[in-house]
Amino acid sequence: MLLLDLRRNSRGVEESCRIRGVMAKNNFLTGTIPSSIFNLSSLSNLDLSYNNLKGIIPSQLGNPSSLQKLFLNYNQLSGELPANICNNLPFLEILLLDENNFGRRIPSTLSRCKHLQTLSLSVNGFSGAIPKEIGNLTKLKSLYLSQNSLQGIISSQLGNPSSLQKLFLSYNQLSGELPANICNNLPFLEILLLDENNFGRRIPSTLSRCKHLQTLSLSVNGFSGAIPKEIGNLTKLKSLYLSQNSLQGEILEELGNLAELEELWLQNNFLTGTIPSSIFNLSSLSNLDLSYNNLKGIISSQLGNPSSLQKLFLSYNQLSGELPANICKNLPFLEILLLDENNFGSKIPSTLSRCKHLQTLALSVNGFSGAIPKEICNLTKLKSLYLG
């Protein structure tokens, strides 16, 4: 159990109230949080994360006006989040409550924590709409609300905290259109995660105004139409996730402008046309997934040299022609190569043996003929070989 003794000792209780930090994370503490902790007027940091604490956060909090950091994540706390939490803890800068069992609505009164910089309520049971009042937290830099049951739209007023850098809203039930002005209001956004929701219509081209964006995830929604060419202006982008939507049209050459791109996930859409050679010129690219689309054409033998490419998924398309003999020369660090369910033909090139790091090779359901190259036996790291 978590106990706190504030009984008067020989030096008086006043000394006990000068405690500035209680750090008890990563233990096996059980029971409830004693309300006496919140009566420590000098307390600035309280970390009880990664324990087995249960019960509620008492609504009759004291007034430790100096409390700046409150970590209660990864416990089994439940009930409602007290509406008066910011009245009693007005100087909170960090509030981490993720991975608990809180429920009901997120209180709009969190907007009274004017100093709040990080708010994490992910992996709980919160429902209802995201309070538009959160937009009044002008110092907020990180907002984590993923894996709840939040519904409704993203209010355009949510974009008032212009300092916001990280916005995590994945795995909810949010719907409607993505506001076209989201980057006008959040110009410093670096990470935007909206995957596994019910958004629809087109991806707004105005996302290109988030000049600092490094990660953009819009997978598993209902987005349709073409990928906006303006995405190619996000020159700091490292990860782009647009899989499992209803995107149409061609993969644009403009994506080749994303010089820092490390991951590109476009699988499970209705994309057509050929694979732009500019994508293979991205020297930082490590993961490329274009599978389950309607892509045609050949894999050009004039590949660039993205020497960092480790995973290449092109399965379930309509690609054809020969597999380039120099594919491993240009992609020497490939670990996974999936080309199954296409229209490739001719012989399997023996030069695949030069992909010394290859662990999975899938060439099933194509038109390959001739013998299985004996050189494949030189792939000493190979774990899975599919030639059916």
Side-chain angles (χ1 to χ4, degrees), residues 129-130 150-156 158 173-177 179 199:
I130 301 172
L150 297 172
Q151 300 171 333
I153 63 172
I154 295 180
S155 170
S156 59
L158 183 64
Q173 300 170 36
L174 300 169
S175 58
E177 294 185 61
F199 293 109

Side-chain angles (χ1 to χ4, degrees), residues 185-198:
N185 297 325
L186 304 175
F188 297 105
L189 206 58
E190 296 177 0
I191 300 177
L192 177 60
L193 303 188
L194 301 177
D195 47 300
E196 293 275 0
N197 278 285
N198 299 316

Side-chain angles (χ1 to χ4, degrees), residues 226-253:
I227 300 171
K229 65 180 180 179
E230 291 82 359
I231 295 287
N233 297 328
L234 295 172
T235 55
K236 294 186 178 181
L237 204 63
K238 294 183 178 180
S239 300
L240 178 60
Y241 304 95
L242 301 178
S243 57
Q244 295 188 54
N245 282 290
S246 297
L247 297 173
Q248 302 167 337
E250 297 188 359
I251 301 173
L252 302 172
E253 288 280 352

Side-chain angles (χ1 to χ4, degrees), residues 154-225:
I154 295 180
S155 170
S156 59
Q157 293 176 297
L158 183 64
N160 291 336
S162 59
S163 59
L164 198 66
Q165 297 173 359
K166 300 177 182 179
L167 179 58
F168 289 57
L169 300 177
S170 305
Y171 294 90
N172 279 290
Q173 300 170 36
L174 300 169
S175 58
E177 294 185 61
L178 189 57
N181 66 344
I182 190 168
C183 290
N184 294 349
N185 297 325
L186 304 175
F188 297 105
L189 206 58
E190 296 177 0
I191 300 177
L192 177 60
L193 303 188
L194 301 177
D195 47 300
E196 293 275 0
N197 278 285
N198 299 316
F199 293 109
R201 301 198 182 179
R202 293 180 176 267
I203 297 172
S205 61
T206 51
L207 283 174
S208 62
R209 298 172 186 169
C210 288
K211 298 298 185 183
H212 299 272
L213 207 59
Q214 297 178 23
T215 300
L216 174 61
S217 182
L218 304 178
S219 296
V220 197
N221 277 284
F223 290 110
S224 60

Side-chain angles (χ1 to χ4, degrees), residues 33-36 38-39 55-64 72 78-89 102 107 109:
I33 302 173
S35 58
S36 55
F38 293 103
N39 291 321
I56 64 172
I57 296 178
S59 59
Q60 301 303 316
L61 296 177
N63 188 22
L72 300 177
S78 58
E80 294 184 59
L81 190 56
N84 66 343
I85 191 169
C86 290
N87 294 349
N88 296 321
L89 309 176
F102 293 108
T109 50

Side-chain angles (χ1 to χ4, degrees), residues 286-302:
S286 60
N287 297 331
L288 175 61
D289 193 342
L290 306 178
S291 57
Y292 292 89
N293 280 289
N294 296 312
L295 301 173
K296 295 183 178 181
I298 64 172
I299 297 179
S300 173
S301 60
Q302 302 302 315

Side-chain angles (χ1 to χ4, degrees), residues 125-160:
F126 290 111
S127 60
I130 301 172
K132 62 182 180 181
E133 290 83 358
I134 287 180
N136 298 326
L137 295 171
T138 56
K139 294 185 179 181
L140 197 64
K141 294 181 179 179
S142 301
L143 178 60
Y144 304 98
L145 301 178
S146 298
Q147 295 188 54
N148 283 290
S149 298
L150 297 172
Q151 300 171 333
I153 63 172
I154 295 180
S155 170
S156 59
Q157 293 176 297
L158 183 64
N160 291 336

